[in-house]
Amino acid sequence: MKKITLALSVLCLFLMPSCKKYLDIKPKGIQIPEFYDDYVKLLNHKTMMVADNPYVVYLTDDILLGDLSVPFGRYDQAQENQKNLYSFASGAIFSDGADDYLWQSAYKRIYTFNVVINNVLNVPDGSPKERETLAAEAKVGRAFEYLILVNTYALDYNAQSATTDLGVPLVLSEDINKVYKRNTIQEVYDQILKDLNEALPHLSATTPHRFKPSKQVGNAFMAKMYLYMGDYENARIFAEKALLDNNQLTDMTKYSIKTTSTGIGFGRIYNAVTEDVYPEAKDNVESIYARYGDGFIGLSRNVYASEDLLETYKHNLPTGAIDQRRALFFADNSFKLNNQTYSFLGKSMWVPYVLFNSGFNTSELFLIAAEGY
């Protein structure tokens, strides 16, 4: 036995240099992040700039599905998971083997955020400040994903039961072979808060575009997190902090529906004076942290607005006034698509054709502050 052990030891000594040399060879066609700019590119990839999936709205009172008498928004044409949500079916929402794109996409992005957080501070280039800022941006991104996940797949936050209510798995490393369990809702919120507190001191006051988090984003994030937790005082405090940096709202009175040509698609909502289309998330003055819904068109032509939703646009309006959101974003009774008109009498459909922001907006901050008061 001793001879075998000795022989193996000698063999290992000979093999170690060649093994190291083999491991140093980079696979062709694959870029392994080594330098600061490599990690910048990871966060700048287009897949990192999307947020949610619209199928969760099928669980709300905001939508209505039609029958065979309408061309769009029919229950029989909905996907299985949409039908299950809409009908409050018992059992699993997704069949075995079906893709849950919200869950899968969120954890893919979390994996990339983890790669940046756990490695960028050790790269040989980039200033310490640059590396800290990039890690902070990734922590905000990871926290954002977990705020969406825990509020989609778990119970609402309840201070009395959050330490025992199950949330979602906390994945904080790149180890895909580790067995993960569902953490409690409190543990998920604690991690969100930890990421934000660690990130805030290193975020810049301004950023080159709205997809990168600034200090204002950190404050807006805190406001929304505390709102979800039912801590209205802190929600108000952080909302007002964020509004100090940007309190602009889009002047929707300047926009109208284009009635010329087909009147559909991007450009359907436009400014008649400047000819500008309604601003998407990256250009909208309301956007603080821009994230595109990864299926923004998923509700257009697939659902109708419920009476409950439409009624909300009538509340507290002066006599003769209209809510511009109602006027611009919905089509009543019919809709024109590719020069063909489709009728759905008595129904209203959400068809804005605008890349809205699923991140943080000033309009939301005003509502959070008001809720706090």
Side-chain angles (χ1 to χ4, degrees):
M1 185 69 183
K2 289 182 180 178
K3 291 181 180 178
I4 294 174
T5 304
L6 179 62
L8 286 174
S9 299
V10 173
L11 181 63
C12 286
L13 286 174
F14 282 104
L15 287 178
M16 279 177 63
S18 60
C19 285
K20 183 178 185 305
K21 185 177 180 182
Y22 174 77
L23 292 173
D24 284 342
I25 299 174
K26 297 178 184 177
K28 289 185 178 180
I30 297 176
Q31 183 174 351
I32 298 175
E34 293 181 272
F35 303 103
Y36 171 76
D37 194 50
D38 295 333
Y39 291 95
V40 172
K41 289 175 181 176
L42 283 178
L43 292 191
N44 283 347
H45 194 273
K46 64 180 181 180
T47 58
M48 305 301 291
M49 299 178 185
V50 293
D52 59 1
N53 191 292
Y55 74 76
V56 292
V57 80
Y58 285 82
L59 192 62
T60 73
D61 296 329
D62 292 339
I63 68 164
L64 177 70
L65 292 180
D67 53 29
L68 297 178
S69 65
V70 291
F72 298 127
R74 285 163 39 176
Y75 179 82
D76 67 300
Q77 294 176 339
Q79 297 174 13
E80 180 192 30
N81 64 298
Q82 295 166 346
K83 291 178 181 177
N84 289 339
L85 289 168
Y86 186 76
S87 63
F88 288 90
S90 60
I93 301 301
F94 293 88
S95 298
D96 291 344
D99 290 324
D100 179 351
Y101 291 109
L102 193 159
W103 178 277
Q104 292 168 211
S105 298
Y107 275 105
K108 282 181 181 178
R109 290 190 290 270
I110 286 171
Y111 177 86
T112 301
F113 288 130
N114 288 339
V115 169
V116 176
I117 293 166
N118 297 330
N119 297 284
V120 71
L121 297 181
N122 300 319
V123 297
D125 62 336
S127 68
K129 182 178 180 181
E130 287 175 327
R131 297 196 295 266
E132 289 281 6
T133 298
L134 202 66
E137 292 172 0
K139 287 178 181 178
V140 173
R142 183 170 70 181
F144 182 83
E145 299 296 337
Y146 277 118
L147 191 68
I148 290 177
L149 285 169
V150 76
N151 281 283
T152 301
Y153 296 99
L155 296 172
D156 292 336
Y157 184 90
N158 183 323
Q160 281 68 50
S161 60
T163 55
T164 55
D165 290 336
L166 289 179
V168 295
L170 279 175
V171 181
L172 305 178
S173 76
E174 307 94 292
D175 186 356
I176 60 175
N177 296 312
K178 182 179 177 181
V179 177
Y180 293 96
K181 63 180 180 64
R182 288 179 69 182
N183 293 80
T184 66
I185 290 177
Q186 187 63 59
E187 288 172 331
V188 177
Y189 272 88
D190 287 345
Q191 183 61 48
I192 292 170
L193 187 60
K194 180 176 182 291
D195 275 345
L196 292 178
N197 281 330
E198 290 177 357
L200 265 172
H202 302 289
L203 295 175
S204 303
T206 59
T207 56
H209 53 74
R210 291 179 172 90
F211 295 102
K212 292 174 72 70
S214 62
K215 286 188 182 298
Q216 185 191 26
V217 171
N219 289 323
F221 200 135
M222 289 286 202
K224 190 161 187 173
M225 182 195 70
Y226 280 121
L227 179 75
Y228 284 169
M229 296 177 72
D231 186 343
Y232 298 104
E233 179 64 11
N234 270 320
R236 177 190 63 79
I237 290 171
F238 279 99
E240 291 183 332
K241 279 184 180 180
L243 285 169
L244 290 175
D245 295 317
N246 177 16
N247 61 5
Q248 295 185 77
L249 294 173
T250 303
D251 185 356
M252 298 182 69
T253 63
K254 294 180 178 179
Y255 294 90
S256 57
I257 299 294
K258 184 179 288 186
T259 56
T260 57
S261 67
T262 59
I264 63 100
F266 294 97
R268 177 175 183 266
I269 304 173
Y270 81 120
N271 186 316
V273 176
T274 65
E275 295 289 329
D276 293 330
V277 299
Y278 192 89
E280 60 176 274
K282 70 181 181 66
D283 302 315
N284 198 313
V285 295
E286 294 186 11
S287 296
I288 297 173
Y289 187 43
R291 282 292 182 272
Y292 290 131
D294 55 1
F296 80 98
I297 206 69
L299 299 179
S300 295
R301 307 196 313 277
N302 286 323
V303 299
Y304 298 102
S306 69
E307 287 300 319
D308 285 344
L309 176 61
L310 295 176
E311 280 296 315
T312 63
Y313 295 103
K314 301 177 183 178
H315 292 172
N316 303 319
L317 287 179
T319 303
I322 60 171
D323 190 312
Q324 279 292 89
R325 296 170 300 175
R326 172 73 174 84
L328 297 177
F329 301 151
F330 294 86
D332 297 327
N333 301 313
S334 66
F335 180 67
K336 200 170 187 179
L337 178 66
N338 297 329
N339 291 317
Q340 184 173 352
T341 299
Y342 296 89
S343 298
F344 34 87
L345 296 179
K347 294 182 174 63
S348 298
M349 182 172 283
W350 188 79
V351 282
Y353 285 93
V354 174
L355 284 167
F356 288 111
N357 188 15
S358 294
F360 301 128
N361 301 281
T362 54
S363 50
E364 183 178 31
L365 291 176
F366 279 110
L367 294 173
I368 293 175
E371 191 79 4
Y373 278 110

